[in-house]
Amino acid sequence: QKEVEQDPGPLSVPEGAIVSLNCTYSNSAFQYFMWYRQYSRKGPELLMYTYSSGNKEDGRFTAQVDKSSKYISLFIRDSQPSDSATYLCAMRQNTGGFKTIFGAGTRLFVKA
Amino acid sequence: DGGITQSPKYLFRKEGQNVTLSCEQNLNHDAMYWYRQDPGQGLRLIYYSQIVNDFQKGDIAEGYSVSREKKESFPLTVTSAQKNPTAFYLCASSPAGLNTEAFFGQGTRLTVV
């Protein structure tokens, strides 16, 4: 079983829809939770960075962490065609070195 | 503009050759990382460095080598011992105190011919 599981998609939605992207994980020691956006043939871009449980909002993006369920989500409101990309979740422990575990990514298509 | 520069963007390697991928950052970040990305898989850590003249192996270090002689530079050498080197290679950096990779370069696509 992988430490981090992410549905590869693709997920296709109409412009303006609310998008929900999710990851599950197995390691209860994870404390830092991140979402990255990666356009085709480009490097990932850090979107959201959260510590422990709870919600964090930044513009149209909201990250949620539910440590009791080992489940994290990224919501995108009013989705735009420019949001079409692959979204990677990532997690790191509080101790034990500098190792970040990445999900394989979910491909998102927002249709105009 | 501050950022991470990877070069070249595309690289072709013949069987048995060593090749070096460049990664330079002008963000004054302490930590630098090298990842490999293959289709359908998450990023896998090759090497990381927290300070100059020090680096640690990641999960898939075999067949790779690095150096960190300057804070801004972290080159990766793919040696002939790496049996399946065709992949997308990503360099990243982060400042002290941030527990994640803050910035990534635009990547180098290496192909064995």
Side-chain angles (χ1 to χ4, degrees), chain B residues 21-65:
Chain B
L21 283 58
S22 171
C23 178
E24 303 277 333
Q25 55 101 356
N26 60 3
L27 300 163
N28 200 34
H29 286 175
D30 293 301
M32 297 187 74
Y33 312 80
W34 273 106
Y35 283 91
R36 170 179 172 144
Q37 188 174 34
D38 294 283
Q41 297 192 42
L43 276 65
R44 291 184 290 166
L45 182 63
I46 304 172
Y47 271 97
Y48 66 95
S49 169
Q50 297 170 245
I51 56 172
V52 174
N53 292 321
D54 185 61
F55 48 82
Q56 307 295 327
K57 291 182 179 180
D59 296 323
I60 56 166
E62 184 175 352
Y64 300 97
S65 65

Side-chain angles (χ1 to χ4, degrees), chain A residues 4-65:
Chain A
V4 177
E5 297 278 1
Q6 187 174 10
D7 187 332
L11 177 63
S12 184
V13 301
E15 183 176 359
I18 296 175
V19 175
S20 173
L21 303 166
N22 311 294
C23 285
T24 58
Y25 63 95
S26 57
N27 187 346
S28 59
F30 288 140
Q31 293 279 8
Y32 297 93
F33 303 91
M34 290 73 71
W35 286 95
Y36 291 84
R37 177 175 64 196
Q38 185 176 24
Y39 292 112
S40 182
R41 299 186 185 90
K42 302 290 186 184
E45 170 192 8
L46 180 62
L47 283 178
M48 301 292 277
Y49 170 70
T50 57
Y51 174 73
S52 195
S53 285
N55 294 359
K56 183 175 182 179
E57 187 173 321
D58 185 0
R60 296 185 294 112
F61 299 91
T62 299
Q64 284 187 352
V65 175

Side-chain angles (χ1 to χ4, degrees), chain B residues 51-109:
Chain B
I51 56 172
V52 174
N53 292 321
D54 185 61
F55 48 82
Q56 307 295 327
K57 291 182 179 180
D59 296 323
I60 56 166
E62 184 175 352
Y64 300 97
S65 65
V66 294
S67 63
R68 186 86 186 275
E69 297 177 0
K70 298 185 295 183
K71 188 175 186 178
E72 58 269 25
S73 179
F74 192 39
L76 173 74
T77 297
V78 184
T79 75
S80 56
Q82 171 49 238
K83 298 307 178 188
N84 185 23
T86 295
F88 190 48
Y89 291 87
L90 289 159
C91 179
S93 72
S94 61
L98 183 68
N99 288 285
T100 192
E101 289 70 353
F103 290 97
F104 279 85
Q106 293 303 291
T108 293
R109 186 165 300 278

